[in-house]
Amino acid sequence: MRFDAADLRRWPIDEAELAPFYDWATAEMGLCGTGDRPPLRPVAAIARLLAAARTSSSPDLRLEPFLPTLAVETRPGTTRCCTYSGDCMAGCPRQSIYSASITIERMIAEGVLCKVTAAKVLAVHSQSRTLSILWEKGEQEQVGPFDLILVAAGCLGTAQILLRTLPAVSALDMLDNPVFTFPILVTGGTVAPAEDAGYFGMTNGCITVIPKDPALPSASVQLYPAMDHLWAYFTPGGLWSALVPVGRLLRQHLVIGRLYLHSDHGSVIRMGLAANGAPRLSLRRTGGMPVGLWRSLRRALGCQGFLVPSVPLLRQKTSSHYAGTLPYGTAGVDANGRLEPGVYLCDSTVFPDSPAASPTLTIMAAAMRTAMAAQPA
Ligand SMILES: Cc1cc2nc3c(=O)[nH]c(=O)nc-3n(C[C@H](O)[C@H](O)[C@H](O)COP(=O)(O)OP(=O)(O)OC[C@H]3O[C@@H](n4cnc5c(N)ncnc54)[C@H](O)[C@@H]3O)c2cc1C
């Protein structure tokens, strides 16, 4: 999912500058619904909900439904093509879902990557352009010097490296998107089972929720079928085939919605390091639902054959969309992610905030932009 101009309003990068890197990341991951890749086929109840949401609104917000462009192989005839078995979350049996290992293997085959090691980076020494690393067997070593160091250990991993690298920094604050889960009941007639013969077990549809007050950030609802893997957790394997019709029936009557909010409404998690070097996390802010949003959204989603029942929202502890520990413009990090000469930060560590959208495509696009800017002249 691409961040739009409103999402990027606090960033030193605009949509036009990020666009070619979004295109590049899209091609690298092979997103369905782009290029020659057919779009995802949502389950029938979600297809119908997306159509209904298109014409629904409320006095405070409008809905923009769309099919997600996921990193799933959908081209018919390819060996990894999705068969709509619904086993996505149980581990796709056909490897239809993109993994970074596909890119790494390609880069090795093309000679772009010459060495991959399994060591853990402890700290970066920018003066000497070296790294302190911990080998799997427990020995520590200082390696380098390197022409260029691109730090991309994920926001959590990079935060730990930075805490060991920057003597003046004793704690870093991480942003997260709050997520609320809720049921949507199909009340306007069931969906013919034949339409639902196969299904896709991850996000089947998305709805951007745009407040009419332009000062407020957008939210996002991800729609899931009543996923079989959830009830399969709680039932013995021997019963699974007998329960398949139950799953099919549930998918005709129930859609699971997950509402993601901007990190402005989310928790802030502080990370420090304990004396033994282990990360120490504490909650600085809990965040929560903005007043009135849920009431308006419930009304807008309860449209034309759908009902959002009045049950308490289930708030997840985290969305795992961590970001913003050392944003562009702080602690010497420039708009290209450069921390020191020859040392660049290439993940969501540098994001100024975390809009209510899946972050991975933007993490890849921003990392590609940083890597290009970092190339020695
Ligand atoms: C359950 C779950 C579901 C999610 N669903 C979605 C989704 O649907 N859409 C979406 O966009 N995002 C989703 N996310 C978030 C997404 O996974 C992250 O935003 C994304 O993986 C971040 O990419 P990254 O490359 O920055 O970091 P990572 O994917 O975390 O990669 C960092 C790599 O660095 C390695 N590393 C860490 N520390 C060190 C170190 N010290 N030395 C060496 N290597 C190190 C790690 O082992 C890892 O391989 C989900 C996350 C979770 C946990």
Side-chain angles (χ1 to χ4, degrees), residues 48 185-191 252-253 303-307:
R48 200 195 270 178
L185 305 179
V186 184
T187 55
T190 56
V191 177
Q252 292 166 38
H253 294 280
C303 53
Q304 301 165 41
F306 294 91
L307 171 77

Side-chain angles (χ1 to χ4, degrees), residues 64-77:
E64 268 184 14
F66 64 98
L67 278 183
T69 49
L70 301 177
V72 175
E73 177 59 84
T74 47
R75 285 172 300 181

Side-chain angles (χ1 to χ4, degrees), residues 43-124:
V43 295
I46 293 180
R48 200 195 270 178
L49 175 56
L50 292 176
R54 212 155 278 135
T55 56
S56 179
S57 68
S58 91
D60 316 322
L61 51 85
R62 71 188 164 83
L63 306 180
E64 268 184 14
F66 64 98
L67 278 183
T69 49
L70 301 177
V72 175
E73 177 59 84
T74 47
R75 285 172 300 181
T78 51
T79 48
R80 291 176 42 239
C81 182
C82 174
T83 57
Y84 292 84
S85 68
D87 289 333
C88 317
M89 301 300 279
C92 174
R94 291 171 64 87
Q95 295 184 307
S96 303
I97 303 168
Y98 169 80
S99 152
S101 61
I102 294 173
T103 297
I104 292 170
E105 279 160 23
R106 176 180 61 71
M107 291 173 87
I108 292 170
E110 289 172 0
V112 179
L113 248 181
C114 63
K115 194 171 177 185
V116 179
T117 63
K120 176 178 176 177
V121 174
L122 296 175
V124 177

Side-chain angles (χ1 to χ4, degrees), residues 119-122 152-155 157 161 319-321 347-348 358-361 363:
K120 176 178 176 177
V121 174
L122 296 175
C155 193
I161 293 170
S319 67
S320 304
H321 295 174
D347 52 40
S348 56
S358 290
T360 302
L361 185 66
I363 293 172

Side-chain angles (χ1 to χ4, degrees), residues 6-313:
D7 292 331
L8 296 170
R9 66 193 184 285
R10 294 182 199 149
W11 292 44
I13 316 169
D14 63 21
E15 254 184 315
E17 199 184 342
L18 213 47
F21 299 102
Y22 270 136
D23 293 344
W24 189 5
T26 298
E28 185 61 44
M29 283 200 279
L31 301 188
C32 63
T34 67
D36 62 346
R37 293 163 193 266
L40 174 75
R41 277 193 278 121
V43 295
I46 293 180
R48 200 195 270 178
L49 175 56
L50 292 176
R54 212 155 278 135
T55 56
S56 179
S57 68
S58 91
D60 316 322
L61 51 85
R62 71 188 164 83
L63 306 180
E64 268 184 14
F66 64 98
L67 278 183
T69 49
L70 301 177
V72 175
E73 177 59 84
T74 47
R75 285 172 300 181
T78 51
T79 48
R80 291 176 42 239
C81 182
C82 174
T83 57
Y84 292 84
S85 68
D87 289 333
C88 317
M89 301 300 279
C92 174
R94 291 171 64 87
Q95 295 184 307
S96 303
I97 303 168
Y98 169 80
S99 152
S101 61
I102 294 173
T103 297
I104 292 170
E105 279 160 23
R106 176 180 61 71
M107 291 173 87
I108 292 170
E110 289 172 0
V112 179
L113 248 181
C114 63
K115 194 171 177 185
V116 179
T117 63
K120 176 178 176 177
V121 174
L122 296 175
V124 177
H125 309 287
S126 47
Q127 292 299 317
S128 57
R129 295 233 185 116
T130 57
L131 302 173
S132 289
I133 60 167
L134 179 67
W135 291 105
E136 271 181 318
K137 286 184 181 157
E139 314 98 63
Q140 285 189 28
E141 192 184 345
Q142 193 151 341
V143 294
F146 300 100
D147 295 333
L148 184 61
I149 297 173
L150 301 171
V151 185
C155 193
L156 279 165
T158 297
Q160 292 171 57
I161 293 170
L162 292 174
L163 287 168
R164 292 189 210 100
T165 295
L166 304 171
V169 177
S170 60
L172 290 168
D173 286 342
M174 240 172 344
L175 308 174
D176 191 20
N177 301 116
V179 193
F180 300 88
T181 301
F182 58 95
I184 305 171
L185 305 179
V186 184
T187 55
T190 56
V191 177
E195 289 180 59
D196 243 357
Y199 88 105
F200 183 72
M202 294 200 290
T203 312
N204 277 222
C206 289
I207 302 176
T208 305
V209 181
I210 304 164
K212 290 196 177 154
D213 177 350
L216 298 175
S218 296
S220 166
V221 179
Q222 298 197 1
L223 302 169
Y224 303 80
M227 293 170 289
D228 294 9
H229 78 276
L230 287 179
W231 52 259
Y233 279 144
F234 305 106
T235 50
L239 288 178
W240 288 354
S241 54
L243 287 171
V244 165
V246 180
R248 196 171 294 153
L249 195 69
L250 267 179
R251 291 198 291 279
Q252 292 166 38
H253 294 280
L254 176 67
V255 173
I256 308 286
R258 280 167 94 204
L259 170 63
Y260 286 75
L261 302 182
H262 190 278
S263 57
D264 283 0
H265 304 296
S267 47
V268 174
I269 303 152
R270 177 157 290 183
M271 183 192 281
L273 290 180
N276 65 0
R280 202 180 44 209
L281 300 174
S282 57
L283 198 60
R284 304 294 294 171
R285 186 184 78 190
T286 311
M289 181 75 80
V291 177
L293 175 65
W294 177 236
R295 195 182 50 233
S296 299
L297 181 60
R298 223 186 117 215
R299 195 180 310 150
L301 285 176
C303 53
Q304 301 165 41
F306 294 91
L307 171 77
V308 182
S310 175
V311 291
L313 285 162

